[in-house]
């Protein structure tokens, strides 16, 4: 019998992206933390558990020795929705298989990879289950498999789901592993699970495979936050659930009291948190129970940090596609839900909440507290040429009504075994690929860019932008949070630092910005000319006539330079609230 106290365990995080769970850096999913906690609960000392991301292994080949030498190697990963990523690159199937070949001890693979693997991590693919040469594939919860595997002396396990009592222990015990993440502590946001499973059965989605919603108690989630906070984590996303409004209820109707206990408890144990965002909110919940939903949305907006996004799974505005795929919300209902979230949470810090949604010249220079995001999925059963027009008309209707959405996510389906779409596969998505690309470009040009100007007009301040990479003479970064804007800043700056910026221009899903407050006595020509209304000549005059003792003294007749200097010559940093 192998003594758990003598085991060396290596966990490799290949990253996950699920309908209700995200874990590509700077996000850290629940899987590594819960698995590490299960191992500790089974008797493995914290000091015997090594955690690496797949990007670490790509960058430092010597770390592969931790995989080879481990008595137990656990791989965590799987993409069940397609995406594009900046902070990390999910493991490709060939890399996952190579890890199994390198491991000399017992190897186990788990996470959403159990639902299937394609040729690559992309949409318009058919996925099939594979063990990729691992000793074990956890078809239940990988954390339960890890616990049972250690408990059996590495002999095996029965596929099962963990219960909430186990999760209460494992979530807190596994918090230590965050300290081994390369982004810890400053550029790391931890995904929090409040529930899993779904009350609905859309044709394409893997979330119903977890069954009906099963909720963790507020004290359990709050206790996990406290453990993570004690380990230096300051950024949190309540992202692991199909519908945040249904938390703590019957799986469908809102429960404002549970939300109040959850959000209030998090704020109490993490008083200096930097980010508190969420992900999924079901629009059908908003329209079926509007008064309770409004109360819940107000509670969230009172406790969260600005720029938060409630992802709405409309998937298609085409009634034919809705019917054939058991989608639970119509375009009219989704529009009403967008309106309600705008009215209750579309205010900006500094604005009167009763004026929501706030935008335009009189609005405060911060992002709104909470807005919807729209998910559109293509390649579903019944899709036709009219589907693309229905979707565009729906998005245009939102814009024309003076409402805001935080982002529009347009993807092609990934067909997994166990879902209704497995029979259809990727055939429809493949057939419509050219039309899809044209339509996606049209949405970006006609909807995304004007919506972004409304959401984050020139002068909007984005605090705590983490600088990630440089390209073509500019430095790019993002805030921590749900679907953060990509920010391009003129000039090549040191990476890894965090700065506040003010928006000066808009792309389709990104903005150009300059440091805030901008000191006209030190600003570069590139920074000055990025500001609308300042050309080369005016920028040259500003540089030649330095120094200035007030914004009014800056020779910029076409703009109010005080928009970018703040309370010059010093500036109070914008509040997170």
């Amino acid at each position: 019998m192998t003594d758990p106290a003598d085991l060396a365990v290596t966990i490799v995080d290949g990253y996950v992206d699920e309908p209700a769970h995200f874990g590509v850096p700077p996000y850290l999913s629940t899987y590594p933390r819960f698995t590490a906690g299960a191992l500790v609960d089974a008797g493995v000392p914290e000091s015997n558990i090594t955690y690496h991301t797949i990007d670490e292994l790509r960058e430092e080949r010597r770390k592969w020795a931790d995989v080879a030498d481990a008595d137990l190697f656990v791989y965590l990963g799987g993409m069940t929705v397609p995406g594009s990523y900046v902070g990390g690159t999910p493991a490709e199937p060939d890399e996952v298989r190579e890890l199994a070949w390198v491991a000399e001890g017992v190897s186990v693979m788990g996470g959403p990879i159990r639902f299937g693997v394609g040729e690559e991590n992309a949409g318009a693919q058919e996925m099939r289950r594979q063990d990729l040469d691992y000793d074990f594939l956890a078809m239940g919860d990988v954390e339960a498999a890890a616990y049972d595997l250690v408990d059996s002396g590495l002999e095996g396990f029965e596929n099962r789901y963990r219960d909430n009592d186990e999760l209460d222990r494992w979530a807190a015990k596994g918090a230590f592993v965050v300290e081994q993440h390369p982004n810890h502590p400053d550029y790391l946001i931890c995904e929090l699970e409040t529930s899993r499973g779904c009350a609905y059965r859309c044709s394409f989605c893997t979330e119903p495979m977890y069954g009906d919603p099963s909720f963790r108690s507020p004290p359990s989630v709050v206790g996990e936050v406290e453990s993570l906070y004690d380990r230096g984590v300051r950024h949190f996303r309540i992202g692991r659930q199909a519908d945040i409004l249904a938390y703590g209820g019957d799986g469908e109707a809102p429960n404002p009291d549970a939300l109040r206990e959850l959000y209030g408890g998090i704020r109490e144990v993490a008083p200096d948190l930097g980010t508190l965002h969420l992900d999924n909110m079901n629009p059908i919940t908003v329209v079926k129970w509007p008064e309770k939903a409004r109360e819940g949305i107000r509670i969230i907006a009172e406790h969260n940090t600005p720029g938060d996004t409630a992802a709405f799974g409309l998937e298609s505005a085409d009634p034919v596609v809705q019917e054939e795929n058991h989608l639970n919300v119509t375009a009219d209902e989704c529009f009403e839900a967008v309106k309600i979230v705008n009215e209750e949470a579309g205010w900006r810090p500094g604005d009167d909440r009763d004026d929501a949604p706030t935008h335009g010249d009189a609005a405060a220079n911060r992002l709104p507290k909470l807005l919807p995001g729209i998910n559109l999925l293509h390649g579903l059963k019944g899709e036709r040429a009219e589907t693309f027009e229905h979707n565009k008309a729906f998005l245009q209707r939102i814009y024309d009504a003076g409402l805001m959405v935080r982002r529009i996510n347009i993807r092609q389906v990934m067909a997994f075994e166990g879902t209704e779409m497995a029979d259809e596969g990727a055939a429809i998505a493949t057939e419509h690929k050219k039309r899809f690309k044209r339509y996606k470009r049209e949405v970006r040009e006609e909807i995304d860019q004007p919506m972004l100007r409304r959401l984050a007009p020139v002068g909007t301040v984005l605090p705590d932008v983490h600088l990630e990479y440089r390209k073509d003479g500019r430095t790019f970064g993002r805030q921590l949070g749900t679907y953060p804007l990509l920010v391009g800043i003129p000039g090549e700056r040191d990476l890894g630092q965090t700065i506040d910026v003010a928006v000066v221009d808009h792309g389709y899903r990104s903005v150009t910005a300059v440091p805030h407050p901008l000191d006209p006595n030190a600003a570069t020509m590139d920074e000055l000319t990025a500001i609308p209304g300042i050309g080369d000549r005016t920028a040259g005059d500003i540089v030649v006539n330095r120094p200035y003792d007030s914004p009014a003294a800056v020779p910029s007749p076409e703009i109010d330079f005080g928009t970018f200097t703040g309370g010059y010559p010093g500036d109070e940093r914008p509040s997170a609230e």
Side-chain angles (χ1 to χ4, degrees):
M1 181 73 175
T2 306
D3 186 346
D6 296 331
L7 288 178
V9 183
T10 295
I11 298 171
V12 171
D13 188 350
Y15 311 144
V16 302
D17 193 353
E18 301 182 82
H21 200 178
F22 192 49
V24 181
Y27 299 86
L28 176 58
S29 78
T30 65
Y31 290 109
R33 292 150 31 209
F34 292 175
T35 300
L39 291 165
V40 170
D41 198 38
V44 180
E46 288 183 12
S47 58
N48 287 18
I49 299 172
T50 300
Y51 167 81
H52 291 311
T53 67
I54 187 65
D55 283 316
E56 284 184 86
L57 297 184
R58 291 173 179 137
E59 294 167 7
E60 296 185 59
R61 193 72 193 185
R62 64 179 178 83
K63 291 185 176 180
W64 285 71
D66 293 328
V67 176
D69 297 341
D71 299 304
L72 173 61
F73 164 55
V74 183
Y75 173 78
L76 306 170
M79 322 299 287
T80 61
V81 292
S84 55
Y85 312 101
V86 175
T89 303
E92 294 288 351
D94 287 346
E95 292 179 301
V96 181
R97 184 179 284 108
E98 184 181 0
L99 287 165
W101 294 343
V102 168
E104 296 176 6
V106 174
S107 61
V108 60
M109 175 173 65
I113 198 168
R114 71 185 178 90
F115 294 124
V117 180
E119 293 300 316
E120 59 179 337
N121 296 320
Q125 285 201 77
E126 298 176 20
M127 318 296 280
R128 60 189 181 90
R129 292 190 175 102
Q130 303 179 54
D131 63 16
L132 298 177
D133 296 334
Y134 281 70
D135 296 325
F136 298 101
L137 169 60
M139 290 301 295
D141 281 324
V142 64
E143 54 267 35
Y147 180 91
D148 294 346
L149 194 55
V150 170
D151 194 53
S152 73
L154 303 185
E155 293 298 321
F157 57 87
E158 296 292 329
N159 286 308
R160 68 176 180 90
Y161 289 114
R162 34 83 172 164
D163 60 38
N164 280 341
D165 288 339
E166 289 176 316
L167 185 53
D168 288 348
R169 300 195 306 271
W170 299 349
K173 288 177 181 288
F176 75 93
V177 85
V178 301
E179 295 179 338
Q180 297 184 47
H181 195 288
N183 288 25
H184 182 271
D186 297 326
Y187 195 37
L188 186 67
I189 181 166
C190 282
E191 191 88 329
L192 300 175
E193 175 182 320
T194 66
S195 70
R196 62 180 183 177
C198 186
Y200 304 98
R201 298 293 183 266
C202 299
S203 69
F204 61 91
C205 190
T206 56
E207 190 62 23
M209 294 183 187
Y210 291 105
D212 291 329
S214 173
F215 299 101
R216 295 173 67 189
S217 69
S220 175
V221 180
V222 171
E224 180 186 359
V225 170
E226 186 172 21
S227 297
L228 292 167
Y229 191 81
D230 289 344
R231 296 283 184 168
V233 176
R234 294 294 180 268
H235 305 279
F236 304 92
R237 191 177 88 139
I238 306 173
R240 182 65 181 101
Q241 71 278 313
D243 181 7
I244 185 63
L245 285 182
Y247 172 67
D250 62 3
E252 295 185 54
N255 185 343
D257 290 339
L259 287 172
R260 189 176 288 107
E261 185 178 356
L262 173 68
Y263 273 86
I266 289 173
R267 279 294 192 171
E268 185 174 343
V269 301
D272 295 320
L273 61 77
T275 306
L276 181 57
H277 278 190
L278 62 91
D279 192 2
N280 296 300
M281 181 183 291
N282 198 328
I284 196 64
T285 308
V286 180
V287 293
K288 286 182 71 174
W289 296 275
E291 294 310 312
K292 282 190 173 182
R294 285 180 182 272
E295 183 181 355
I297 292 165
R298 286 194 296 270
I299 290 167
I300 293 169
E302 287 166 5
H303 291 88
N304 71 351
T305 52
D308 201 357
T309 308
F312 278 4
L314 171 63
E315 315 306 350
S316 179
D318 183 347
V320 172
V321 177
Q322 290 167 2
E323 182 176 357
E324 291 200 26
N325 295 275
H326 319 300
L327 306 184
N328 60 45
V329 66
T330 67
D332 286 343
E333 289 169 333
C334 191
F335 177 84
E336 180 63 20
V338 168
K339 183 171 179 286
I340 287 172
V341 175
N342 269 258
E343 290 171 349
E344 298 299 339
W347 51 273
R348 303 165 192 260
D351 286 339
D352 189 331
R353 301 180 187 192
D354 293 335
D355 293 337
T358 55
H359 53 78
D361 293 340
N365 67 340
R366 297 297 308 281
L367 291 177
K369 288 301 289 292
L370 174 68
L371 290 174
I374 302 296
N375 292 342
L376 296 172
L377 186 61
H378 287 269
L380 295 174
K381 292 184 291 184
E383 184 172 281
R384 55 205 174 126
E386 291 92 332
T387 303
F388 298 87
E389 297 307 315
H390 277 292
N391 287 351
K392 286 175 58 180
F394 170 77
L395 297 173
Q396 190 66 53
R397 180 185 178 191
I398 292 174
Y399 183 80
D400 291 345
L403 302 173
M404 293 181 288
V405 294
R406 174 60 188 78
R407 66 98 181 92
I408 301 164
N409 199 357
I410 303 173
R411 302 170 298 181
Q412 287 185 297
V413 71
M414 301 171 82
F416 286 89
E417 294 179 46
T419 69
E420 287 188 24
M421 278 303 298
D423 294 334
E424 195 70 49
I428 297 173
T430 301
E431 179 185 350
H432 293 171
K433 205 147 196 175
K434 285 186 179 179
R435 187 189 301 274
F436 173 79
K437 288 182 178 179
R438 182 173 66 250
Y439 144 88
K440 190 172 182 179
R441 184 182 67 252
E442 291 169 353
V443 170
R444 299 298 181 229
E445 293 172 352
E446 299 170 17
I447 305 294
D448 270 315
Q449 194 170 54
M451 183 66 77
L452 189 51
R453 292 192 184 105
R454 176 179 292 172
L455 172 76
V458 171
T460 300
V461 175
L462 305 177
D464 294 329
V465 172
H466 295 254
L467 304 186
E468 295 182 281
Y469 67 95
R470 293 184 289 256
K471 183 179 179 181
D472 299 332
R474 294 200 293 174
T475 305
F476 291 85
R478 297 175 297 169
Q479 295 175 295
L480 282 171
T482 299
Y483 309 108
L485 290 170
L486 182 64
V487 181
I489 305 163
E492 296 193 349
R493 301 171 183 275
D494 291 339
L495 303 182
Q497 63 175 314
T498 301
I499 66 172
D500 298 347
V501 302
V503 174
V504 295
D505 200 5
H506 305 83
Y508 299 145
R509 290 159 64 86
S510 63
V511 296
T512 301
V514 295
H516 185 272
L518 186 66
D519 182 356
N521 295 321
T524 67
M525 285 287 290
D526 284 342
E527 291 168 347
L528 292 169
T529 55
I531 298 173
I534 295 183
D536 290 340
R537 178 175 295 181
T538 300
D541 291 341
I542 292 172
V543 170
V544 168
N545 291 297
R546 289 169 174 168
Y548 307 100
D549 57 10
S550 73
V554 180
S556 51
E558 295 186 28
I559 68 160
D560 176 9
F561 210 88
T563 300
F564 303 98
T565 60
Y568 183 90
D571 180 62
E572 287 191 12
R573 193 176 175 285
S575 166
E577 294 305 309

